[in-house]
Every structure is written in structure tokens, then in C-alpha cells.
Amino acid sequence: KQEVTQIPAALSVPEGENLVLNCSFTDSAIYNLQWFRQDPGKGLTSLLLIQSSQREQTSGRLNASLDKSSGRSTLYIAASQPGDSATYLCAVFWGYNKLIFGAGTRLAVHP
Amino acid sequence: NAGVMQNPRHLVRRRGQEARLRCSPMKGHSHVYWYRQLPEEGLKFMVYLQKENIIDESGMPKERFSAEFPKEGPSILRIQQVVRGDSAAYFCASSPLPGAVGELFFGEGSRLTVL
């Protein structure tokens, strides 16, 4: 069964810390992996898309890596800010027409 | 280029009524996906449509739920005879390409409350 697991489920840190959010997935035969941000009561904002042939993608203070063979992806957030507080979702596309989501990591960055 | 537009944003229905949720994909996107997020749970795939075709409805409950994406107009998710367990946020996503290649862009969601 294809599943996505995110660790930790919740994280609370002081402003300025560098963070690592983990995502693991069963079955390495993925097409792509996408990281999203969800604010309470809001929709999903796409952060980074990594195709299966890529190892990492960067956007501003965000960097996502992909290791297909070990079934892992990591989202790195540099110099965290209170505005980064949200739930971060990892989603994997294995084909079969659907993205499968992890349960998310709830991040709180306090001043 | 406007994002994925969903309406209504909030919908309240009594048990037994019908709920219709609409999704207008981004301009140029012909692939639409519907997801459901139950309270305190993750997003679950419901259905994938292209214009006038249902490609994959493996996540749709067998009864009361239907979806369409007509040649003209928005995609519609229809829930007949709603029950309390249908209360959830329903998200629509669109893509210019099949999901294996293209990035999915999500709307703000429609939050259904069944009394």
C-alpha cells in the first residue's frame, strides 16, 4: 500500500532557527513529490515540486531534497519566522491519477 | 491569472438536502481533482476529471456523491441527501498537465457543515 508519513507531527521553535521537516514514503517508484503549506481554515499553497529525476529544489528560504531509493524527502526552512507558522504537507504522485498526502507537520514559530 | 476558484466558501445544509460545490480551474488547466479533508484528518483523494470525462473516481463514496466537468463551465461536486459525516472541507485542484508531470494548484476550499 502506498503511504506517506510525516515526522514530527508538531513542532514549536523560537524565531531564527533552521528547521528540518521529514517525509517518508513507501514504494520508491514515484513520479513526483510536492510540498504544500496550509494555513488554518485556508487552502493549500504549493511550495516546491520535485520531479522523480531531480534531487532537490530551492525557493527562497526553502529547500526540499528527494532521495527516492530510501523513500525520503526533507523540507529545510532557513532562519524561521513567525509567518512560517502553518501546517506543512508532503504529497507523492505515484501515477494512478492521484496525489497521496501525509498527515502534515504543524509548525509554530514564536517570537 | 486568477487561481483556482471555489464556491461557495461555506455551505450549511440540513440532513437530507443536496450540496453543490463548484470549482473553476486556472485558465488553461484541463485537469481537475477533488479532495476531502475531514476534521483533524489529512486530505483524501476523491475524483480526477478532464473536460467531459471522469478519469478516476476510486475515492468517491459509491452512493450520493457525483462529479462532473462539462465542456463549458466549472466542475461540480454534488452530494445528495447529505448526512452529518459529510461535514468537511472539500478542495479542488487543477493542473495544466496530468499529475505525473504537472504541478497541482489548490483552491481555498468549500467548507460544508451538515446540521
Side-chain angles (χ1 to χ4, degrees):
Chain A
K1 183 180 178 184
Q2 291 159 335
E3 294 181 342
V4 180
T5 302
Q6 291 188 247
I7 294 173
L11 188 60
S12 181
V13 299
E15 182 176 6
E17 282 204 3
N18 298 323
L19 306 174
V20 176
L21 308 182
N22 296 296
C23 172
S24 62
F25 47 92
T26 59
D27 189 350
S28 61
I30 70 171
Y31 281 83
N32 61 47
L33 183 147
Q34 199 165 351
W35 282 93
F36 295 90
R37 166 185 174 142
Q38 185 176 28
D39 292 281
K42 300 289 188 180
L44 279 70
T45 301
S46 178
L47 298 174
L48 292 162
L49 169 70
I50 310 177
Q51 300 290 353
S52 62
S53 58
Q54 297 174 320
R55 294 298 298 265
E56 66 177 345
Q57 284 285 355
T58 298
S59 176
R61 294 182 294 108
L62 304 179
N63 174 276
S65 65
L66 174 64
D67 184 342
K68 273 179 50 178
S69 61
S70 66
R72 295 175 192 270
S73 176
T74 298
L75 180 66
Y76 178 81
I77 304 175
S80 59
Q81 303 170 358
D84 294 330
S85 299
T87 296
Y88 289 81
L89 299 166
C90 171
V92 176
F93 199 97
W94 273 286
Y96 310 108
N97 306 313
K98 67 191 78 168
L99 268 180
I100 295 180
F101 282 81
T105 293
R106 285 191 309 279
L107 173 64
V109 181
H110 48 87
Chain B
N1 188 6
V4 177
M5 304 300 292
Q6 290 189 248
N7 67 82
R9 293 290 312 280
H10 299 276
L11 183 64
V12 178
R13 286 288 180 264
R14 297 190 181 280
R15 281 178 296 171
Q17 291 184 318
E18 178 179 291
R20 280 186 182 235
L21 310 177
R22 288 176 290 278
C23 169
S24 296
M26 291 178 69
K27 187 176 180 180
H29 290 195
S30 60
H31 302 264
V32 166
Y33 305 77
W34 285 93
Y35 281 77
R36 176 165 67 173
Q37 187 174 37
L38 293 168
E40 303 303 318
E41 293 190 18
L43 281 92
K44 303 295 183 188
F45 168 81
M46 298 183 75
V47 62
Y48 164 43
L49 311 101
Q50 294 180 27
K51 283 284 187 181
E52 300 184 273
N53 289 300
I54 297 173
I55 306 301
D56 184 340
E57 57 182 349
S58 59
M60 289 272 274
K62 292 287 187 286
E63 298 176 349
R64 302 187 297 107
F65 285 72
S66 62
E68 63 176 11
F69 188 16
K71 186 177 180 181
E72 300 291 337
S75 175
I76 306 287
L77 180 67
R78 182 184 179 202
I79 311 171
Q80 296 178 290
Q81 299 175 341
V82 296
V83 300
R84 288 218 173 105
D86 297 332
S87 294
Y90 293 83
F91 290 96
C92 170
S94 74
S95 176
L97 298 166
V101 180
E103 187 174 359
L104 266 64
F105 296 89
F106 280 77
E108 293 279 296
S110 291
R111 283 155 182 81
L112 172 66
T113 301
V114 180
L115 301 178

